[in-house]
Amino acid sequence: MKLIHSGKVRDVYEDRGDIVLVASDRVSVYDAILPTPIPDKGKVLTQLSLWWFEQLKDIVPNHIISATDVPAEFEGRAVRCRALKMVQVECIARGYLAGLGLKEYERDQAVSGIPLPAGLLEGSRLPEPIFTPTTKAELGAHDEFITFADVVAQEGEDVADNLRQITLDVYRKGAEIARERGVVIADTKLEFGWDAEGVLTLGDEVLTSDSSRFWPLDEWEPGRPQFAFDKQFVRDWAAGTGWDKKGPAPEVPQEVVDVTRARYIEAYERITGKDW
Ligand SMILES: Nc1ncnc2c1ncn2[C@@H]1O[C@H](COP(=O)(O)OP(=O)(O)OP(=O)(O)O)[C@@H](O)[C@H]1O
Ligand SMILES: [Mg+2]
C-alpha cells in the first residue's frame, strides 16, 4: 500500500484505488503525541467508529467497504474505504459548550455566527444542537470557525443545507444513544466527501472520542471543565508532571497506561453495549 498521509494518530494509505485508514495506538494530549502508546486504542476506536457507521446508515451513506480486507498487521484497526473527494469543510455539531466553542461564546455570545442565550457556562447544554463549521486547515495551521453563509458561498446552498442537516441528524441520533448509556457527546466533527457517483457520503471516522468530546453523564456539571471520558486520567497525569505542554511529552508509567486503556474500553462497552 502507498502511504499518502500521516496524521497525529492515523495513517492513510492508497490501495487498489481505495483508501485504507489505519488507526494507531498513539494518544494526543494538549496537541502533543505521548511517546507511550495505549495498547488497543486504535482497535477500540476503529471498532467504535464501525459500530456508529452501522447505526447511522439510514441517515447517510458512508465510505466503508470492508473492516477485514486490510493487511494482517493492521487487523482490527484499519478500514478499507471508498476514495472520496473530500468536502473542504469540517462539519462540527455542538450540543454543549466547550473548547473553542466556549471561547467564541465568551467573546461574541455566538458560535459560527449563531447567537446564543446569555448566561451559559462552561459545559452547559445548548438550547438545541448547532452547526459550527470550520475550515479544513493545512497541516500545522488551526481550523477557523466559519459561518453557514461561508459554507453556502463555498459549496452552494443545496450542499450547505445538506451538510448542516446531516451533521445535526447524526449528532442528535448519536448523542441520544450515548446519553441513554451514560455518555454525553458534547460535540463532534464529521467529514463528508463525494463518491464516484457524486453522492454526498460520510467519511473519515465517526463519533469516536478522537473526533468528539465524551463526558461521563453522572459527572457532568456545568460551570467547570468536564472530565474527558477516556483521556482525562492521562491528561491530568501529564499536567501533574510539570511538563510545559510544549516540548516532548513525558513517558507514561504503566499504571497510567493500564487505567487509560481500561477507560477506552469502558467507553466502547458502554456505548455499544458489547463486551470488548
Ligand atoms: N474516504 C476517504 N477518501 C479520501 N480521504 C479521506 C477519506 N476519509 C478520510 N479521509 C481523509 O483522510 C485524512 C485522515 O487524516 P487524519 O485525520 O489522520 O489526519 P489529519 O486530519 O491531517 O490530522 P489530525 O491528526 O489533526 O486529525 C483526512 O485528511 C481526511 O479528510
Ligand atoms: Mg483528521
Side-chain angles (χ1 to χ4, degrees):
M1 301 198 301
K2 183 176 154 218
L3 181 66
I4 53 175
H5 176 82
S6 197
K8 281 198 287 292
V9 301
R10 289 179 304 160
D11 296 318
V12 184
Y13 294 85
E14 195 269 337
D15 185 47
R16 311 193 305 251
D18 303 330
I19 293 288
V20 176
L21 286 175
V22 181
S24 72
D25 291 342
R26 297 190 288 271
V27 178
S28 78
V29 295
Y30 303 112
D31 262 339
I33 304 291
L34 296 177
T36 321
I38 302 298
D40 292 329
K41 182 206 170 214
K43 279 187 186 167
V44 174
L45 294 199
T46 298
Q47 297 308 312
L48 181 60
S49 186
L50 283 164
W51 185 84
W52 280 122
F53 275 124
E54 189 60 28
Q55 308 303 307
L56 299 166
K57 68 182 183 198
D58 295 339
I59 298 177
V60 60
N62 64 64
H63 67 162
I64 301 296
I65 298 172
S66 171
T68 51
D69 183 11
V70 296
E73 65 185 297
F74 301 140
E75 205 197 311
R77 59 187 181 92
V79 285
R80 175 176 297 277
C81 311
R82 293 182 285 148
L84 304 177
K85 186 172 176 297
M86 301 308 286
V87 173
Q88 293 304 303
V89 176
E90 306 254 356
C91 293
I92 298 168
R94 296 174 187 274
Y96 295 75
L97 214 47
L100 291 178
L102 174 67
K103 278 197 189 146
E104 284 270 303
Y105 173 78
E106 286 172 341
R107 202 186 61 201
D108 301 340
Q109 209 188 299
V111 186
S112 277
I114 301 168
L116 292 169
L120 297 177
L121 305 173
E122 174 163 20
S124 284
R125 190 175 189 170
L126 300 175
E128 59 183 352
I130 55 174
F131 179 59
T132 62
T134 69
T135 56
K136 232 166 113 59
E138 293 299 316
L139 211 67
H142 276 290
D143 296 340
E144 308 259 346
F145 280 115
I146 51 179
T147 63
F148 182 69
D150 295 326
V151 182
V152 172
Q154 186 182 312
E155 305 293 332
E157 190 153 0
D158 289 354
V159 174
D161 271 339
N162 276 332
L163 292 172
R164 177 171 63 184
Q165 185 69 47
I166 300 168
T167 299
L168 290 173
D169 285 350
V170 165
Y171 173 76
R172 273 190 285 259
K173 173 144 191 192
E176 188 186 313
I177 292 175
R179 200 171 211 281
E180 284 164 3
R181 297 162 185 205
V183 178
V184 172
I185 301 180
D187 49 39
T188 196
K189 181 211 64 168
L190 306 178
E191 291 193 35
F192 296 88
W194 303 100
D195 76 0
E197 276 77 51
V199 176
L200 192 60
T201 303
L202 184 57
D204 212 51
E205 61 183 327
V206 64
L207 295 170
T208 67
S209 52
D210 275 357
S211 63
S212 324
R213 278 193 180 79
F214 285 3
W215 300 334
L217 178 59
D218 55 2
E219 288 173 57
W220 170 59
E221 189 195 322
R224 58 154 173 79
Q226 308 300 310
F227 298 109
F229 198 100
D230 39 22
K231 246 191 251 187
Q232 197 66 38
F233 195 70
V234 69
R235 208 183 255 168
D236 290 348
W237 168 83
T241 60
W243 169 49
D244 64 1
K245 298 178 189 168
K246 290 187 207 96
E251 293 278 348
V252 186
Q254 188 63 44
E255 50 294 4
V256 178
V257 169
D258 291 344
V259 172
T260 303
R261 177 177 178 277
R263 295 291 279 173
Y264 277 103
I265 290 171
E266 189 187 341
Y268 170 88
E269 291 189 331
R270 271 215 209 181
I271 290 172
T272 66
K274 299 202 278 189
D275 287 334
W276 175 245

